[in-house]
Amino acid sequence: MEVKLAVAKINKYATSESGDSVEVVERPNGGISVVMADGQSSGRGAKHISSLVVRKVISLLSEGVRDGAAARAASDYLFTERKGKVSATLNIASVDMQTDTLVITRNNPLPVIIATHDDVCSFDDECNPIGLYRDTRPLISEMPLEPGLTVVQFTDGLVHAGSRTGDSLDILTFLAAHAEDEVDPQEIADALLTDAIHLDHGRPVDDISIVVIQVTNQTSDSIRRMTVDLPLNK
Amino acid sequence: MEVKLAVAKINKYATSESGDSVEVVERPNGGISVVMADGQSSGRGAKHISSLVVRKVISLLSEGVRDGAAARAASDYLFTERKGKVSATLNIASVDMQTDTLVITRNNPLPVIIATHDDVCSFDDECNPIGLYRDTRPLISEMPLEPGLTVVQFTDGLVHAGSRTGDSLDILTFLAAHAEDEVDPQEIADALLTDAIHLDHGRPVDDISIVVIQVTNQTSDSIRRMTVDLPLNK
């Protein structure tokens, strides 16, 4: 088996900094975690918040702290730092080799989409972003690492795409159409982002981040790989 | 312009954990850093050391600490933690958008290869790994971000490949042959790793990690991308 992870990310039109932060970190007991946060509003202030939240979470995860505890710590930290005046959404998705599970942690009103060979469903129970209240707890869903499993999480820019013209993206239908063929995660992330940018007529109304994780049956060559493409405004 | 980064990594034959750690982190003032450490010996103990070093460095970099200061801090930290008895090599490569430069920081006797369209050279001035002495300082080289620039850094598994049979990889010649065509960084990393594994007859004598960073002239679509492939031993 192999786990493939892909991230695609674009800034709100005409802003030089994204209010979203996404980082990947290795888990000390095996596996990886991807942490995504969206800071309230946009631009530099939002970036500062989301990066503060992601930094706190990856630092705790890399010390072996469990995902739920790391999310609660980030919430308390942001609440204390900003006196309950600033919120951020937080998503953690972890490939946990101790339990052989995929662990999804949500402090984000938006759903996380979970697709298997048979089914596409939405993990959308109600939950709060972090930073506004004491004792904010995440929702956690855990499932066995099995070939065919695909998980998609995103920030609200993807959901708001097209809102200026009353259009919107049907993410569930899009994934249902692709779940059976094990499309490469980078292709899924790129296709969703391209559709969203198209709905916004090439000028994204908000920062958009998309994370796709897929468990495949591919015979593995035991090589870990990572790539990053970073556009420069030059 | 666009910066492309690729990592390829394999464990020493028949070990379940690599003593190398590689992590990528976003810089708070723009850009990214890739941090690579190789802990003394191999297996779980080495992994613990390299992950401790990388964690310390990415945590400092993500707070805005400069690369040289982060490397010195990691050295003092390891020296204090392990009373000067355990060493690790440390490499940091940063795309720094504040200075529009690529910053290479080395606490590793092995060279870092720097290729431009015209030339391939080896940044190989003498320097020490961290952890063994007080006041260990890194060597730093900084160059403008210009299309055609390719930087390759690696752990000693790549250099020791083939040592059982007296063979070795000529990394400089390999890169000189590919510098002009702007070969994709993932292809460069994969090709080097494949050659190394071949020299070790399919059983790497040591953990191998390769990081390739390339600055290209490609017209950018403003989308940041990241992928991770994680083989599972199942």
Side-chain angles (χ1 to χ4, degrees):
Chain A
M1 285 204 299
E2 188 166 87
V3 172
K4 288 167 169 280
L5 180 150
V7 180
K9 209 163 166 273
I10 196 164
N11 296 0
K12 177 178 173 174
Y13 179 69
T15 59
S16 63
E17 282 200 274
S18 170
D20 298 350
S21 290
V22 182
E23 301 269 8
V24 174
V25 69
E26 194 174 352
R27 296 173 71 82
N29 298 308
I32 52 169
S33 293
V34 54
V35 182
M36 176 177 84
D38 181 359
Q40 194 175 320
S41 85
S42 64
R44 186 167 278 271
K47 178 73 204 178
H48 183 73
I49 294 301
S50 68
S51 117
L52 179 135
V53 167
V54 166
R55 231 160 59 203
K56 174 57 79 180
V57 174
I58 61 171
S59 147
L60 291 168
L61 293 179
S62 69
E63 287 168 1
V65 173
R66 291 177 60 93
D67 299 30
R72 287 212 294 278
S75 182
D76 290 347
Y77 178 53
L78 181 59
F79 180 82
T80 307
E81 276 285 308
R82 295 305 174 105
K83 303 182 173 58
K85 290 180 182 152
V86 177
S87 73
T89 63
L90 170 65
N91 287 80
I92 311 173
S94 296
V95 177
D96 187 337
M97 300 311 295
Q98 270 190 310
T99 52
D100 284 331
T101 55
L102 191 78
V103 184
I104 299 173
T105 304
R106 266 176 68 219
N107 272 119
N108 189 342
L110 295 182
V112 171
I113 314 293
I114 302 168
T116 60
H117 279 310
D118 309 320
D119 192 25
V120 179
C121 70
S122 189
F123 172 33
D124 58 0
D125 309 71
E126 210 174 311
C127 68
N128 290 319
I130 64 172
L132 294 182
Y133 307 102
R134 248 183 258 276
D135 294 326
T136 299
R137 284 163 181 272
L139 287 181
I140 297 181
S141 178
E142 194 167 357
M143 62 215 72
L145 284 173
E146 276 172 4
L149 179 66
T150 303
V151 169
V152 183
Q153 62 188 27
F154 38 83
T155 57
D156 61 355
L158 187 68
V159 176
H160 295 151
S163 56
R164 274 186 306 212
T165 51
D167 291 323
S168 74
L169 210 59
D170 187 345
I171 304 165
L172 221 57
T173 308
F174 178 93
L175 290 172
H178 293 85
E180 272 183 50
D181 346 322
E182 278 201 10
V183 182
D184 189 74
Q186 186 73 68
E187 282 178 45
I188 296 177
D190 276 356
L192 282 169
L193 189 54
T194 307
D195 282 4
I197 295 169
H198 183 72
L199 286 180
D200 280 338
H201 302 287
R203 299 178 169 193
V205 293
D206 195 2
D207 308 312
I208 306 177
S209 302
I210 304 169
V211 176
V212 181
I213 300 175
Q214 193 178 64
V215 185
T216 80
N217 224 344
Q218 286 179 15
T219 334
S220 157
D221 56 8
S222 301
I223 299 175
R224 281 193 187 201
R225 293 183 174 84
M226 172 161 52
T227 67
V228 179
D229 288 0
L230 178 73
L232 306 181
N233 304 319
K234 308 278 164 188
Chain B
M1 285 203 301
E2 188 167 86
V3 172
K4 287 167 171 280
L5 179 151
V7 180
K9 210 163 166 272
I10 196 163
N11 296 1
K12 177 178 174 175
Y13 179 68
T15 59
S16 63
E17 282 199 276
S18 169
D20 298 350
S21 289
V22 181
E23 301 268 7
V24 174
V25 70
E26 194 175 351
R27 296 174 72 82
N29 297 309
I32 53 170
S33 293
V34 54
V35 183
M36 176 177 85
D38 181 359
Q40 193 175 323
S41 85
S42 66
R44 185 166 280 271
K47 177 74 205 176
H48 183 71
I49 293 302
S50 68
S51 117
L52 179 136
V53 167
V54 167
R55 231 160 59 204
K56 173 57 77 182
V57 174
I58 62 170
S59 147
L60 291 169
L61 294 179
S62 70
E63 286 168 2
V65 173
R66 291 177 60 94
D67 299 31
R72 287 212 294 275
S75 182
D76 290 348
Y77 179 53
L78 181 59
F79 180 82
T80 307
E81 276 285 305
R82 296 304 175 106
K83 302 181 174 57
K85 290 181 182 150
V86 177
S87 73
T89 64
L90 170 65
N91 287 81
I92 311 173
S94 296
V95 177
D96 186 338
M97 300 312 294
Q98 270 190 311
T99 51
D100 285 331
T101 55
L102 191 77
V103 184
I104 299 172
T105 304
R106 267 176 68 219
N107 273 120
N108 189 343
L110 295 182
V112 171
I113 314 293
I114 302 168
T116 60
H117 279 311
D118 309 320
D119 192 25
V120 179
C121 69
S122 189
F123 172 33
D124 58 1
D125 310 71
E126 208 174 313
C127 67
N128 290 319
I130 64 172
L132 294 181
Y133 307 102
R134 247 182 259 275
D135 294 326
T136 299
R137 285 162 183 272
L139 286 182
I140 297 182
S141 177
E142 194 167 356
M143 61 216 73
L145 284 173
E146 277 172 3
L149 179 66
T150 302
V151 169
V152 183
Q153 61 188 27
F154 39 83
T155 56
D156 61 355
L158 187 68
V159 176
H160 295 152
S163 56
R164 275 187 307 211
T165 51
D167 292 322
S168 73
L169 211 59
D170 187 347
I171 304 166
L172 221 58
T173 307
F174 178 94
L175 290 171
H178 292 84
E180 272 183 51
D181 344 322
E182 277 201 12
V183 181
D184 189 74
Q186 186 73 68
E187 281 177 47
I188 296 176
D190 277 356
L192 281 170
L193 190 53
T194 307
D195 282 3
I197 296 170
H198 183 72
L199 286 181
D200 280 338
H201 301 287
R203 300 178 169 192
V205 292
D206 194 1
D207 308 312
I208 306 176
S209 301
I210 303 168
V211 175
V212 182
I213 300 175
Q214 193 178 63
V215 185
T216 79
N217 225 344
Q218 286 179 14
T219 334
S220 157
D221 55 9
S222 302
I223 299 175
R224 281 192 187 202
R225 292 183 175 84
M226 173 163 49
T227 66
V228 179
D229 287 0
L230 178 73
L232 307 180
N233 305 318
K234 309 276 166 188

